[in-house]
Amino acid sequence: MNWTVLHAIFRRDFVSYFSNPTGYVFICVFVMLTSLAAFWPPEFFSNNLANLDQLSKWMPFILLAFIPAITMSIWAEERRQGTDELLLTMPATDFDVVMGKFKAGVAIFTVALLFSMFSVFLVFRWGLGNPDGGLFLGSYLGYWFVGVAMLSVGMVASFLTSNLTVGFILGAIFNAPLALFGAADLIVKSPALAQTIRQWSASEQFADFERGVVSLSSVMYFVSITAVMLYVCMVLISKRHWAGREDGESKGGHYLLRTLSLLVVVGALNVFLSNNDRRLDMTTENLNSLSAKTRQLVKDLSADDDVPPIQIDAYVSPQVPAEYAAQKRDLISTLSELSSLSGGKIRVTKHEIENFSEEATLAEKRFGIEARSVATKDRGSRTTQEIFLGAAFTCGLDKVVIPFIDKGVPAEYEVIRSITTVAQEKRQRLGVLKTAANLYGGFTMQGPIPKARIVEELEKQYDVVEVDPANPITERFDVLLAVQPSSLGPAELDNFVDAVRSGQPVAIFEDPAPQLWRDVVGTAEPNPPQGGGMMGMFGGGQPGAPKGDINQLWKTLGVEVAGDEVIYQEFNPYPRAGSGPDAITPAWVFVDEGEPGAEQPFNPDDAIVSGLRQLLFFYPGAVEQSDGSKLEFTPLATTGNLTGYVPQSELRRAQGNMALPFRPTGSPYIMAARVSGVADDREQLSLDELDKKSDDDEEDQADAAEKKEEVTINAVVVSDIDALSDVFFAIREMGEEEDAIVQWNFQNVAFVLNTLDSLAGDDRFLEVRKRTRNHRILEKIEEATKKHRDLAAENREKFIEDAKAQIQGVQEEFSKKIAEIQTNTDLSALEKRQRVEQAQVLYGRSTEVRVAKLQAERDRQIRQSERDLAAQVRGVQDFYKLSAVLVPPILPILLAMLVYFHRRESEREGVSKTRLRFGGKSVAERRAEAAAAMQKK
C-alpha cells in the first residue's frame, strides 16, 4: 500500500469538498434534517426521555438522501472531467485509489455527523435536559457505522456511471434495501417473512447502538457490508485490465465467484457472532446491563443441553404513551441482552403490532395477549390509549405468558423469572395455609371474593396449593405461607405448629389489628360470629369458632409477639399526603432509610431486605426475641425511635384516629425478623411423644438418641398482614404518575416475594426484583412547565373545594328545612311525617338539580383549566422545537459564508484591477464616484 498516494487522493477530495460553499450547504441541510427528526415528532415530548429515539428512527432515511450526495462525485466526476486516467496512471495499486476515495468520503461524512452531534447536544443541554452521555455517543457511533456502510454501497454506484445525477439515483437505489428492510412489515404480508427481512436491515442491526450498546455482531454487520462493497469497487476499477481480453468473460466469472465466496464468508461470520456476541453497555446509567445473577442464570441455561431452546414472542405497540416509553425500552433491551448472552438458547421475536392487525388477532388466539387500555396524558389532556406490552415464553410443551408488563414492574425480573420457570422441569411447591384470611377467594353472602393478588403473583413461579390445617400437615413444601394463624382452631393450630417444629420453612404474617382484610380479626380478638351477612353484623348467628393458643407457636420460634399492642410512629415521609383521619396517621408505620433514629432500618446482611428503601406496615404489631431462646434471631425491618403503642382493645373503641390513646415509648420496634437454627429437643417431639415412657432404660435411651436428630427451624415472622394486601400490588403497577399528589415508593411486594423465595432456598430473583433503571428525562422542559402545572393543580383543587363547599351548603339548607319541620311542636307526628315527605319531594328535586349544576360547573372549570395547561405546555414545547431547527444550522451557514468570501478574496489576489469587474472597486467606492459625478453635472 502506497500511503503517500493514498493520502494525496484523500487530501485532494476532502479539501475540494470543503473549499466549496456547496459542501457546507449540504451539511446545513443534513443538520436541519437531523434536528427536525430528533425534536419535531410528537413522540419526543410525549415520551419525555432525553434520548435520540426519534432521530434513530429516521436516520436511515436521512442518510438515504445525504450519502448519495457525497458518493455521486467520488468517481463519476473523475470520469466526467477525464481525470480518472490520470489517477490510474499514478504509481499506486487499485486498492490505494479505492481506499483513498473511500477515506475522503468517510472523512466528509464524519465532519457532517460531528456538526449534527454538536448541534443536537447543544440543544439538549441548553433547553431540554441532560442526556445520558454514553447513550448519546453510542447512538452517534451507530449512525457513523450505518453511514460508512452506505458510503461503500454508494461508491459502487458512482463507479458505474459518469453522470452525477445518475450516480445519485443509483446510490439511493442501491442503499434503499438497507433503509427500507426495516419497514418490511408494511410491504410483506407474511409476519414470519417480514421478521426475517427486517432482521437484516440497517435499522435492526443499529438497534443495539440506539440503546447505547456496542455489540460485536452489529459492528461486524456494517464492516462486512463495507468490505464486500469495497472489494466490488476494486473489481470495477480493475476491469480495464481484463475486460477487452479474450479471457474477459472467464475473468468476469472468476471475480463474480470471488465476490460470492466473500459474501458466504462474511455471512457465516455474522451468523456465528449473532450467537456468540460480545457487548459493551456505554450508558452512564447502565440501562442495558443485566444483573450478575441474571447473567449467571442465562449461562447455566445455555450450558444445560437438556433444556430445549426457549422462544420468546414479545408483542409491543409501535407507539406507547410517555408513561410506558421507558418500560417498553427496558423490555426490548432486556430481551436483546438475554438473546445475545444465551448463545442461541433464547430466541427472541419482536412483534410491533397495531391494535386491529392480523398479528393482534394471532397474539390473542395463541397466547391470550390483548391490547390493554391505559390512562395517559398528552400535553395536559387526559385520555386513554390501548397498547400492547406483553410477552409469551415457550419451551417444549410448557408455556408462560405475561399478558401485560405494567410500568411499575421491573422488566428484567418479569422476563428472567418467566424464562427460568418455563425452562425448569418441575416447579417448587408453595403451600398456602387455610386461615380466616381468604387468599383463594370464593363466594360469600356479601358477594364474590376475588383471588388475592399475592396468590396470582406466586402462581407465575410456584406450584401453589392450599393447605388445610384440619389434618396433620405431613406433605413437605418448599415454603409454607401462613397469614393470621391466630385465627385457627386449637386442633388446626396444633397441626400447624407441628409442621413448623418439623423444620418446614414458613413465612408467618400475624397482625394485631388487620385493616385491609375482610372478616379477619386481630391476634387478641375472638373470631367473629359464624353465619356472616346481617346476622354476623349484629351479633347473630352461631358463636365464633374458638381460637388455638398462638403462644405455643411463638414459644416454638423463640419469639414474643404482643397481640394486644398496635405500634405507631411519628414519621411521615409523604407530607404532601397530609395527616389525620382521612390521610396518613401515626399507625402507618414506615420503615425508611431516612427515618429519624433508625440506626439500621434494613438489615444489609440479609438478602430479603438488603437494598430496599421503604416499607409500609399498616397498624402493625412488633416481634422480639424471647429470653433464653437458642434460635438465631435476625431483625429484618426496624423502626426509628419516634414510636409508641396503642392498646388494641382501645383501638376499636376510639372514635377516629385522632382520638387514639397513644402511649409513647421512644424505642425502636422490629416489624419483621428471621428465625433459624436447631430447635430445642423438647420442641421436636409432639406432646403425646413426650408423655410416652419406656420400661427398658436402654431402649428409652436408644429412642431418645434417634429422636435427637437435629431439626432446623427456618421461619420469617412479620407483624402485619396488610403488608401483602392487594393495594400494594396496585401501587406497584401504577409506577410513577405524573400528576399524582404523592409518588408512593413502597416496596412491600418485593419484600413479601423475597421472603418466600429466601425461605424456599431460591435466591435467583432476590436482587433482580429490587433493581430499577434510571432513564433521564427532559428535566428542563419539566422545569419550564412546572409553574403552569402547579397553577393548574391549584386551580383544580380550588374548583373541587369550592364546589364541595357549595354542594354542602345546599345540602345543609335542605337538612335545615327538614329539621324545622321535625322540631315544630305545633304539628302532630302524622303531620310532621306528611310535611317531611312533601318537603323531600319538593326540595329534594330542587336540591338534586342545584347539586347537578354545581357539579357540572366544577367539571367545566376543571376541563377549562386542563385546556389552558395544555396550551401553555404546547407553547413551551413549540418554542424549543423551533429553536432546535433554527439554531443548529447557524454554524454551517457561517462557515459557508466564511469560505465563500475567503475564496473570493483568494481568487482576486494578484489580478489587475482593470481586469476585475467595476475595476475592483467596492460598492461604497462606486456610490461615492457616482455622487461626485452628479455634483459635477
Side-chain angles (χ1 to χ4, degrees):
M1 181 182 296
N2 193 329
W3 288 101
T4 303
V5 175
L6 191 152
H7 180 69
I9 297 174
F10 159 74
R11 188 174 182 278
R12 172 177 173 269
D13 285 10
F14 183 78
V15 172
S16 65
Y17 187 88
F18 286 103
S19 62
N20 191 328
T22 307
Y24 292 95
V25 171
F26 275 112
I27 292 177
C28 181
V29 173
F30 176 71
V31 171
M32 286 189 64
L33 289 176
T34 55
S35 298
L36 278 170
F39 305 118
W40 272 70
E43 297 82 11
F44 176 76
F45 287 103
S46 64
N47 288 348
N48 194 30
L49 294 176
N51 58 32
L52 299 171
D53 283 356
Q54 310 312 315
L55 176 57
S56 300
K57 177 181 177 181
W58 291 103
M59 181 58 86
F61 301 99
I62 295 174
L63 295 180
L64 190 61
F66 181 65
I67 293 298
I70 297 176
T71 60
M72 66 181 182
S73 61
I74 281 183
W75 195 253
E77 183 69 9
E78 301 284 358
R79 282 188 173 180
R80 188 178 68 84
Q81 295 181 354
T83 55
D84 57 332
E85 295 296 335
L86 178 62
L87 283 176
L88 296 177
T89 56
M90 294 177 66
T93 63
D94 296 339
F95 179 76
D96 296 334
V97 175
V98 171
M99 289 305 298
K101 290 285 187 180
F102 176 69
K103 185 179 177 182
V106 170
I108 294 169
F109 170 66
T110 302
V111 171
L113 204 60
L114 288 174
F115 270 108
S116 172
M117 184 172 70
F118 173 77
S119 302
V120 171
F121 186 77
L122 182 66
V123 171
F124 264 115
R125 291 302 302 269
W126 168 62
L128 299 178
N130 184 25
D132 188 303
L135 179 62
F136 190 84
L137 291 176
S139 297
Y140 266 91
L141 181 62
Y143 303 152
W144 187 82
F145 274 109
V146 175
V148 168
M150 285 187 167
L151 275 169
S152 63
V153 176
M155 282 182 61
V156 174
S158 184
F159 274 105
L160 294 176
T161 181
S162 59
N163 187 288
L164 295 180
T165 304
V166 175
F168 179 87
I169 295 173
L170 288 179
I173 293 175
F174 288 0
N175 277 304
L178 289 175
L180 298 179
F181 279 3
D185 51 339
L186 300 178
I187 304 171
V188 181
K189 297 299 182 182
S190 172
L193 180 59
Q195 175 64 24
T196 302
I197 296 175
R198 188 166 55 242
Q199 182 180 356
W200 292 100
S201 67
S203 58
E204 193 73 13
Q205 296 296 326
F206 165 76
D208 285 336
F209 294 102
E210 180 185 1
R211 293 189 296 270
V213 175
V214 178
S215 63
L216 186 58
S217 60
S218 296
V219 171
M220 182 53 63
Y221 169 83
F222 294 113
V223 171
S224 299
I225 293 176
T226 304
V228 172
M229 292 299 103
L230 290 180
Y231 179 77
V232 173
C233 289
M234 288 178 55
V235 172
L236 292 175
I237 201 173
S238 64
K239 184 180 178 182
R240 69 187 190 282
H241 298 304
W242 46 267
R245 292 163 47 180
E246 295 181 358
D247 59 347
E249 292 186 4
S250 61
K251 278 284 187 181
H254 173 75
Y255 282 109
L256 177 61
L257 184 60
R258 279 189 177 186
T259 304
L260 293 176
S261 301
L262 182 60
L263 283 172
V264 171
V265 170
V266 298
L269 186 59
N270 276 271
V271 172
F272 173 78
L273 288 178
S274 65
N275 294 323
N276 301 273
D277 203 1
R278 295 293 181 270
R279 307 166 72 82
L280 173 65
D281 185 3
M282 296 180 61
T283 59
T284 307
E285 303 291 346
N286 294 322
L287 298 177
N288 307 286
S289 298
L290 302 174
S291 67
K293 195 63 181 179
T294 299
R295 298 178 67 87
Q296 186 59 48
L297 288 172
V298 175
K299 289 180 180 178
D300 293 342
L301 279 177
S302 302
D304 191 349
D305 296 332
D306 296 332
V307 177
I310 301 170
Q311 174 64 37
I312 303 177
D313 290 278
Y315 295 90
V316 297
S317 295
Q319 300 296 334
V320 298
E323 296 85 350
Y324 291 85
Q327 185 72 324
K328 174 186 173 182
R329 189 179 182 89
D330 286 346
L331 174 61
I332 295 174
S333 175
T334 300
L335 293 176
S336 299
E337 294 301 310
L338 291 172
S339 177
S340 63
L341 185 63
S342 67
K345 178 73 75 172
I346 300 175
R347 304 167 183 172
V348 177
T349 303
K350 184 182 72 172
H351 307 269
E352 287 198 346
I353 56 178
E354 301 291 345
N355 290 351
F356 302 103
S357 63
E358 182 180 348
E359 278 195 290
T361 304
L362 189 63
E364 182 180 355
K365 289 182 178 179
R366 291 183 61 192
F367 305 113
I369 296 177
E370 300 177 336
R372 177 177 294 187
S373 180
V374 298
T376 181
K377 193 170 184 181
D378 183 17
R379 292 189 172 188
S381 302
R382 298 177 184 274
T383 182
T384 58
Q385 183 177 344
E386 290 190 346
I387 62 171
F388 283 91
L389 198 61
F393 304 78
T394 309
C395 182
L397 300 178
D398 202 359
K399 178 173 64 177
V400 173
V401 177
I402 307 176
F404 192 85
I405 302 178
D406 290 285
K407 57 185 176 182
V409 181
E412 181 182 347
Y413 161 64
E414 284 284 359
V415 170
I416 192 60
R417 181 182 64 174
S418 301
I419 290 175
T420 53
T421 300
V422 78
Q424 62 188 18
E425 294 182 3
K426 186 178 180 181
R427 300 188 185 186
Q428 289 184 298
R429 287 175 62 79
L430 183 146
V432 177
L433 193 69
K434 188 176 181 181
T435 64
N438 188 359
L439 299 181
Y440 270 84
F443 292 91
T444 64
M445 295 291 292
Q446 290 78 23
I449 301 176
K451 183 184 294 186
R453 295 288 300 276
I454 179 64
V455 175
E456 294 179 350
E457 185 74 14
L458 292 172
E459 287 176 341
K460 298 176 183 179
Q461 179 179 344
Y462 291 95
D463 179 13
V464 183
V465 296
E466 190 173 30
V467 179
D468 189 354
N471 303 311
I473 305 174
T474 57
E475 184 178 359
R476 185 76 175 185
F477 297 94
D478 293 288
V479 61
L480 184 64
L481 172 62
V483 181
Q484 206 69 359
S486 64
S487 64
L488 298 175
E492 296 170 329
L493 189 58
D494 286 344
N495 291 332
F496 173 59
V497 173
D498 285 342
V500 176
R501 288 172 178 166
S502 68
Q504 168 68 60
V506 60
I508 301 170
F509 290 78
E510 182 65 36
D511 197 329
Q515 302 293 313
L516 304 177
W517 293 85
R518 181 188 297 183
D519 299 332
V520 181
V521 296
T523 305
E525 294 180 300
N527 279 327
Q530 300 180 19
M534 298 298 294
M535 296 290 289
M537 183 181 300
F538 296 103
Q542 299 297 323
K547 284 187 173 184
D549 183 10
I550 192 65
N551 289 317
Q552 63 175 315
L553 175 62
W554 306 144
K555 183 179 178 182
T556 300
L557 297 175
V559 300
E560 293 181 3
V561 180
D564 58 348
E565 293 182 357
V566 176
I567 306 302
Y568 77 88
Q569 181 177 231
E570 298 286 351
F571 172 63
N572 179 9
Y574 301 100
R576 293 191 64 184
S579 59
D582 298 328
I584 294 178
T585 74
W588 292 33
V589 177
F590 294 90
V591 177
D592 189 281
E593 291 178 324
E595 62 181 307
E599 296 181 0
Q600 196 175 78
F602 297 108
N603 191 333
D605 300 324
D606 196 293
I608 292 178
V609 293
S610 64
L612 292 182
R613 298 181 301 277
Q614 187 182 93
L615 296 177
L616 171 61
F617 298 94
F618 207 60
Y619 291 74
V623 56
E624 59 182 281
Q625 188 174 21
S626 59
D627 296 335
S629 174
K630 299 178 181 179
L631 297 175
E632 182 179 354
F633 181 87
T634 306
L636 298 177
T638 309
T639 68
N641 55 18
L642 302 177
T643 57
Y645 71 93
V646 178
Q648 193 275 337
S649 57
E650 299 181 25
L651 179 67
R652 298 296 186 188
R653 293 196 298 267
Q655 298 297 321
N657 292 293
M658 297 305 292
L660 290 177
F662 297 123
R663 301 184 181 180
T665 61
S667 301
Y669 287 93
I670 299 173
M671 299 287 101
R674 184 196 289 270
V675 179
S676 59
V678 178
D680 192 322
D681 294 341
R682 292 170 298 173
E683 299 295 346
Q684 293 179 37
L685 309 177
S686 66
L687 298 177
D688 294 335
E689 289 177 320
L690 287 174
D691 294 336
K692 289 182 180 179
K693 301 292 184 179
S694 175
D695 296 333
D696 188 358
D697 291 341
E698 294 182 358
E699 292 181 1
D700 191 33
Q701 294 176 0
D703 291 341
E706 290 180 3
K707 294 176 182 178
K708 204 171 182 179
E709 294 179 1
E710 292 185 348
V711 175
T712 301
I713 296 291
N714 187 15
V716 169
V717 182
V718 182
S719 60
D720 181 36
I721 70 172
D722 297 318
L724 47 72
S725 63
D726 292 354
V727 64
F728 291 104
F729 286 86
I731 290 174
R732 181 186 70 152
E733 292 174 356
M734 287 168 54
E736 293 188 358
E737 294 286 345
E738 179 182 351
D739 293 334
I741 297 176
V742 177
Q743 298 290 353
W744 305 110
N745 296 317
F746 312 139
Q747 294 177 289
N748 287 45
V749 175
F751 167 68
V752 173
L753 298 178
N754 280 358
T755 297
L756 296 170
D757 283 358
S758 179
L759 290 170
D762 187 357
D763 63 347
R764 296 175 297 175
F765 313 121
L766 300 185
E767 296 301 324
V768 181
R769 195 177 280 127
K770 296 177 285 188
R771 188 166 184 258
T772 58
R773 294 176 178 177
N774 181 30
H775 292 267
R776 304 209 180 166
I777 63 173
L778 304 176
E779 53 193 27
K780 293 188 178 180
I781 292 292
E782 293 290 305
E783 294 173 2
T785 58
K786 184 179 185 301
K787 181 178 68 174
H788 304 301
R789 297 181 190 278
D790 291 343
L791 180 61
E794 291 176 4
N795 290 336
R796 186 162 53 246
E797 292 179 7
K798 180 178 180 297
F799 297 150
I800 293 174
E801 290 298 324
D802 290 347
K804 184 178 178 181
Q806 292 176 1
I807 291 172
Q808 185 176 358
V810 171
Q811 292 173 341
E812 288 177 354
E813 181 182 346
F814 173 72
S815 300
K816 184 178 179 180
K817 291 181 179 179
I818 298 296
E820 288 177 355
I821 297 174
Q822 292 176 338
T823 56
N824 190 343
T825 57
D826 297 334
L827 300 176
S828 65
L830 179 61
E831 289 175 326
K832 287 182 179 179
R833 186 166 58 251
Q834 290 176 342
R835 292 197 177 187
V836 166
E837 291 177 355
Q838 292 174 355
Q840 287 176 339
V841 173
L842 178 62
Y843 296 115
R845 292 178 180 175
S846 174
T847 300
E848 291 176 358
V849 171
R850 292 174 65 185
V851 169
K853 288 183 177 179
L854 289 173
Q855 291 175 339
E857 177 63 19
R858 175 201 62 192
D859 296 339
R860 187 195 67 77
Q861 291 177 328
I862 291 175
R863 288 194 299 270
Q864 182 61 43
S865 175
E866 291 181 347
R867 284 194 291 268
D868 293 341
L869 172 61
Q872 297 288 349
V873 172
R874 279 197 299 270
V876 173
Q877 293 177 355
D878 291 342
F879 169 75
Y880 285 107
K881 287 168 66 174
L882 186 63
S883 301
V885 175
L886 296 180
V887 172
I890 292 177
L891 182 59
I893 291 175
L894 291 177
L895 289 175
M897 295 174 63
L898 179 64
V899 169
Y900 171 74
F901 288 112
H902 175 74
R903 182 176 177 179
R904 184 180 178 186
E905 289 299 322
S906 299
E907 291 175 349
R908 291 161 62 95
E909 289 181 2
V911 180
S912 175
K913 290 186 177 183
T914 58
R915 300 186 59 186
L916 296 175
R917 189 179 182 184
F918 305 114
K921 297 178 181 178
S922 65
V923 175
E925 292 174 341
R926 295 200 304 272
R927 286 178 177 174
E929 289 181 356
M934 293 277 297
Q935 291 177 357
K936 288 181 180 180
K937 292 182 179 179

